[in-house]
Amino acid sequence: MKISKVLGYQVLDSRGRPTVAASISLTDGTTHTARVPSGASTGVHEAKELRDIGGEYSEVFYAGLSVWQAVENINRVIAPCLVEELIDLAAVDNLLVDLDPSADHAKLGANATLAVSLAASIAAAHSQNRSLARYFQPESELNIPMPMVNILSGGAHANEAMDIQDLLIVPIGATSFTQALSWIVAIRETAAELGRMSGFVTNLIADEGGLAIPFDSVEKACQFVINAIEACGLKAGDQVSLALDVASTQFFQNGVYNLRNAKKIFSSEQFVTYINDLVSNYPIVSIEDPFAEDDWITWQKFVQIAPKKLQVLGDDLLTTNLTRLNRAIDEKSANSILIKANQNGLVTSTLNVLKQAKANNFKTVVSARSRENEDSWLADLATGWAAGQIKVGSTHGSERNSKWNRLLELEVIEETKFLNPYI
Ligand code: 2PG
Ligand code: MG
């Protein structure tokens, strides 16, 4: 089947910012669309999205955040090379690399390349009469990922309500995704009720649908979530564990970790002890970005003393980048990686990073961004790639629930298994 048309255009994301959409039409008359997400707490080593800050494309009402230049790159540079070609994901991604050989896709914009690459994946799956998950894994049981779900938000996602960015739960004792999600929803709603009873406004939600309740210590926030878990009749640690995204790059300044709400400043060495105490005192199974994106030595020191079972997860540290992942493998700086397609810029090279991680016994967590949209391809990628885990934010907001709902759908329409990745 051939490509008959490629179209880029600007749409809005879940926080009202412009983002890139790409549609690929095929000669059978169908059209396949993908929209790209965007981060709020982005790492400096991520692929570069193109925004019209200054210059001829800049629009005052979008505060320089429009993406017309990326859209133009799709319509004027990429589209003419793809029309009349056979639909083939590897060929599309190779072409995108030929057109923009820069490692960070800065020329075309990673938002332009990823939109086209994703639309090509969806169109290619259609041309084989398969779902996107099945396109990547045509046979045998699909592994529905374990969800990691945001209950409390802080940092850049919630006006610094807490020092850390996310306090999440992982329903490790659930035996199906359907059951896992029912526990999560109950805990999320119970946490909101507990927050209300303590006098907080809980119907205003943070960027990823979590509760932006102010806490001046991470310990108090952990205890609050444990109370919510137990109020639902579930056992914290046995059935539902905690996970943190510390997003520490955001508060690493002048060589120190500055917890503003807690009014405490730590050297890298002191912060290792602080994080180790946290993971020892609370049922935490996963800790993301406990140290800043270039504080490599501190990551390495922590991995040496951390509990062996703890997932030490690199997001800003690794930015879904093969070179940075290889360094972390060599130096033992982490033992798991967050996989975000828009940190990388292409579907095939994002998958290559995931494969390299798995080949080196790193766990993998496919992740959404704080600025999302209604698409659900993330659920198919996480499942078809057998990532084992997925992080989407909370269970409020259709841009989040489109992914959860797709996983619920995959669990009933496909042959699947649901495993605890922490055993
Ligand atoms: C993260 C993501 C999602 P952002 O840090 O892991 O929670 O946030 O998209 O803002 O980088
Ligand atoms: Mg993160």
Side-chain angles (χ1 to χ4, degrees), residues 41 165-166 245-247 288-289 315-316 338 340 367 391:
S41 67
Q165 185 173 286
D166 302 330
D245 181 358
V246 182
E288 178 181 335
D289 284 351
D315 172 15
D316 291 349
L338 208 70
K340 290 170 165 170
S367 173
K391 178 182 158 193

Side-chain angles (χ1 to χ4, degrees), residues 58-115:
S58 186
E59 272 190 58
V60 65
F61 288 111
Y62 281 131
L65 295 169
S66 60
V67 291
W68 294 120
Q69 222 176 317
V71 163
E72 283 273 289
N73 288 343
I74 295 177
N75 293 331
R76 298 225 172 150
V77 184
I78 302 169
C81 303
L82 288 179
V83 172
E84 294 297 319
E85 295 296 322
L86 286 173
I87 179 66
D88 175 342
L89 174 61
V92 170
D93 280 2
N94 285 339
L95 172 89
L96 292 168
V97 172
D98 287 348
L99 292 173
D100 179 1
S102 66
D104 59 3
H105 305 281
K107 191 171 146 209
L108 291 174
N111 39 1
T113 57
L114 183 66

Side-chain angles (χ1 to χ4, degrees), residues 80-361:
C81 303
L82 288 179
V83 172
E84 294 297 319
E85 295 296 322
L86 286 173
I87 179 66
D88 175 342
L89 174 61
V92 170
D93 280 2
N94 285 339
L95 172 89
L96 292 168
V97 172
D98 287 348
L99 292 173
D100 179 1
S102 66
D104 59 3
H105 305 281
K107 191 171 146 209
L108 291 174
N111 39 1
T113 57
L114 183 66
V116 173
S117 183
L118 281 167
S121 323
I122 298 166
H126 166 80
S127 73
Q128 295 180 5
N129 206 12
R130 292 189 165 116
S131 69
L132 187 57
R134 276 293 177 206
Y135 171 72
F136 288 107
Q137 189 193 311
E139 275 158 25
S140 72
E141 281 180 322
L142 290 167
N143 186 181
I144 300 278
M146 175 66 70
M148 185 183 272
V149 185
N150 186 306
I151 301 297
L152 297 177
S153 296
H157 292 177
N159 208 14
E160 309 216 358
M162 301 184 290
D163 290 313
I164 64 166
Q165 185 173 286
D166 302 330
L167 211 161
L168 310 107
I169 52 172
V170 191
I172 55 167
T175 52
S176 70
F177 182 78
T178 303
Q179 182 185 44
L181 208 60
S182 69
W183 291 3
I184 288 161
V185 168
I187 295 163
R188 166 72 174 71
E189 298 315 309
T190 302
E193 188 53 34
L194 293 177
R196 244 187 316 274
M197 278 157 44
S198 306
F200 295 109
V201 180
T202 53
N203 56 349
L204 295 174
I205 58 169
D207 280 9
E208 299 196 304
L211 297 162
I213 299 175
F215 281 99
D216 62 9
S217 91
V218 184
E219 291 83 345
K220 284 182 199 161
C222 288
Q223 192 53 55
F224 177 85
V225 174
I226 290 171
N227 293 347
I229 294 169
E230 293 187 337
C232 292
L234 292 160
K235 290 202 180 67
D238 287 345
Q239 291 173 297
V240 183
S241 294
L242 306 185
L244 308 183
D245 181 358
V246 182
S248 63
T249 302
Q250 300 286 319
F251 55 79
F252 184 68
Q253 283 144 359
N254 305 320
V256 293
Y257 292 89
N258 184 356
L259 297 187
R260 284 184 279 270
N261 288 310
K263 298 191 173 57
K264 284 185 187 155
I265 294 177
F266 300 84
S267 66
S268 289
E269 207 170 310
Q270 290 166 335
F271 209 52
V272 167
T273 309
Y274 172 76
I275 294 288
N276 200 40
D277 286 348
L278 262 184
V279 299
S280 309
N281 295 334
Y282 295 91
I284 295 170
V285 287
S286 174
I287 189 145
E288 178 181 335
D289 284 351
F291 311 106
E293 60 197 347
D294 288 311
D295 196 4
W296 287 92
I297 184 86
T298 305
W299 281 83
Q300 196 182 34
K301 282 187 187 150
F302 178 66
V303 169
Q304 282 164 9
I305 61 153
K308 287 288 157 278
K309 278 192 161 179
L310 181 72
Q311 177 165 272
V312 184
L313 181 58
D315 172 15
D316 291 349
L317 178 78
L318 304 176
T319 55
T320 319
N321 175 299
L322 200 55
T323 311
R324 294 181 73 83
L325 171 64
N326 284 335
R327 176 168 177 186
I329 291 167
D330 284 349
E331 297 182 4
K332 296 191 174 51
S333 323
N335 59 22
S336 50
I337 180 170
L338 208 70
I339 299 285
K340 290 170 165 170
N342 83 319
Q343 286 181 329
N344 180 291
L346 292 174
V347 172
T348 46
S349 53
T350 300
L351 176 56
N352 286 341
V353 173
L354 178 132
K355 283 182 177 164
Q356 170 74 347
K358 284 179 141 196
N360 287 279
N361 297 320

